[in-house]
């Protein structure tokens, strides 16, 4: 970070766990100048979408945005499409990086206001690991809801090959 002329904010895996971040809206509250606007109710439902806004820069009016001013990357893959981003389930995340814009040279035309990078954990060599994460919510006036994930880190070839699976 000290060698580049840009502002980078990163939230570590430990910080994400402490804040209980389960989706994009959860961790964006802890990154100054970044807002996540959710369209479509339940963020885990198919058809819902998010728009990441850096420093209030957005285009369009009500509803969906025609051209995004911010891009979102999952590892090295751009997941920005037609001005919005899909809801990301925050399972097995190493860190989240917020890069204030303009970032168009590196991350494309959708990154004029900034880029949000979600970095997943990489496989660990020679370590078998199982991580279970679950959540149950209920209330006096609502039905119970739940969600969970299982992560497996499996060494395949000593010091050479490992696999990490999340479901």
């Amino acid at each position: 970070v000290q060698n580049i002329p840009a502002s980078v904010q990163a939230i570590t895996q430990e910080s994400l766990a402490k804040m209980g971040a389960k989706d994009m809206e959860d961790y964006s509250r802890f990154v100054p100048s970044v807002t996540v606007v959710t369209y479509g109710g339940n963020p885990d439902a198919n058809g819902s979408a998010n728009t990441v806004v850096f420093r209030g820069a957005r285009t369009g009016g009500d509803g969906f945005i025609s051209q995004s001013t911010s891009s979102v990357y999952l590892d090295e893959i751009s997941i920005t499409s037609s001005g919005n981003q899909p809801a990301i389930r925050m399972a097995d995340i190493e860190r989240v990086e917020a890069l204030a814009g303009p970032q168009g040279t590196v991350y494309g035309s959708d990154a004029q206001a900034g880029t949000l990078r979600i970095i997943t954990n990489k496989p660990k060599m020679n370590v078998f690991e199982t991580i279970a994460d679950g959540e149950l919510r209920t209330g006096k006036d609502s039905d119970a809801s739940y969600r969970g994930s299982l992560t497996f880190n499996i060494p395949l070839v000593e010091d050479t090959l490992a696999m990490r699976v999340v479901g």
Side-chain angles (χ1 to χ4, degrees):
V1 170
Q2 292 178 349
N3 295 329
I4 58 172
S7 171
V8 177
Q9 300 168 18
I11 302 174
T12 65
Q13 181 177 7
E14 293 80 19
S15 296
L16 289 167
K18 283 181 186 176
M19 68 178 72
K22 299 294 180 191
D23 55 40
M24 294 173 75
E25 285 181 313
D26 291 339
Y27 61 78
S28 69
R29 291 181 285 140
F30 297 93
V31 180
S33 75
V34 174
T35 304
V36 175
V37 180
T38 301
Y39 302 98
N42 180 358
D44 291 331
N46 290 336
S48 67
N50 295 316
T51 298
V52 176
V53 180
F54 274 78
R55 296 177 286 183
R58 61 179 274 188
T59 60
D62 296 333
F64 289 98
I65 295 174
S66 58
Q67 172 73 29
S68 182
T69 60
S70 304
S71 64
V72 175
Y73 275 68
L74 181 61
D75 288 326
E76 302 302 322
I77 301 169
S78 173
I79 57 174
T80 300
S81 173
S82 300
N84 58 63
Q85 297 85 19
I88 299 295
R89 171 77 166 99
M90 298 299 289
D92 200 35
I93 301 299
E94 178 183 328
R95 69 183 181 277
V96 175
E97 299 174 350
L99 305 125
Q103 295 290 332
T105 302
V106 178
Y107 295 104
S109 65
D110 284 336
Q112 294 308 307
T115 298
L116 193 67
R117 293 186 65 215
I118 302 167
I119 311 297
T120 59
N121 283 311
K122 305 303 179 261
K124 299 175 188 171
M125 299 296 167
N126 305 323
V127 175
F128 182 82
E129 182 177 44
T130 302
I131 302 168
D133 178 35
E135 179 180 357
L136 174 65
R137 292 184 181 191
T138 187
K140 184 175 84 172
D141 298 323
S142 64
D143 290 336
S145 64
Y146 59 90
R147 62 178 162 184
S149 64
L150 285 172
T151 303
F152 298 100
N153 189 86
I154 305 165
L156 299 173
V157 178
E158 188 173 337
D159 295 327
T160 306
L161 184 62
M163 175 175 67
R164 193 164 186 98
V165 179
V166 180

